[in-house]
């Protein structure tokens, strides 16, 4: 499998510091492969990672986990496709 043509999609639940919510959220959204579609008022967020390579996905995950103010980071779902030209349901 060619690492440059894979597709990695994952979702995660994170708990972040309510005191630094805006800063932590902004830090997470700086990652080019991360998106935050859902947040709640208690500091729980859903993070989606859609990366073109496994290296990009792991790097993004590791960086978000290490972000100051991220208390927990748990995977929920992960999907991998070989070749970006393939189709299928997730």
């Amino acid at each position: 499998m060619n690492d440059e043509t894979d597709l990695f999609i994952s979702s995660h639940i994170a708990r972040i510091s309510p005191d630094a919510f805006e800063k932590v959220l902004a830090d997470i959204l700086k990652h080019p492969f991360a998106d935050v579609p859902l947040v709640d008022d208690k500091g729980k967020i859903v993070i989606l990672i859609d990366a073109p390579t496994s290296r990009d996905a792991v790097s993004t995950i590791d960086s978000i986990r290490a972000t100051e103010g991220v208390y927990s980071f748990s995977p929920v779902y992960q999907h991998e496709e070989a070749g970006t030209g393939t189709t299928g349901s997730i």
Side-chain angles (χ1 to χ4, degrees):
M1 194 179 303
N2 181 346
D3 191 43
E4 295 304 316
T5 60
D6 295 340
L7 174 66
F8 297 86
I9 300 169
S10 61
S11 63
H12 309 266
I13 301 285
R15 181 115 171 136
I16 61 176
S17 170
D19 297 334
F21 185 83
E22 295 299 324
K23 180 186 180 324
V24 174
L25 189 58
D27 288 346
I28 291 169
L29 290 173
K30 287 179 185 176
H31 294 89
F33 307 116
D35 189 25
V36 178
L38 295 171
V39 300
D40 76 5
D41 59 352
K42 296 176 182 149
K44 290 183 189 173
I45 64 173
V46 172
I47 300 170
L48 299 178
I49 296 174
D50 184 356
T53 68
S54 61
R55 188 175 317 214
D56 291 329
V58 170
S59 174
T60 301
I61 290 167
D62 288 345
S63 180
I64 292 171
R65 269 193 187 128
T67 301
E68 186 174 341
V70 174
Y71 294 148
S72 66
F73 186 85
S74 303
V76 175
Y77 178 81
Q78 181 175 325
H79 178 79
E80 173 184 348
E81 284 188 22
T84 56
T86 61
T87 59
S89 61
I90 298 176

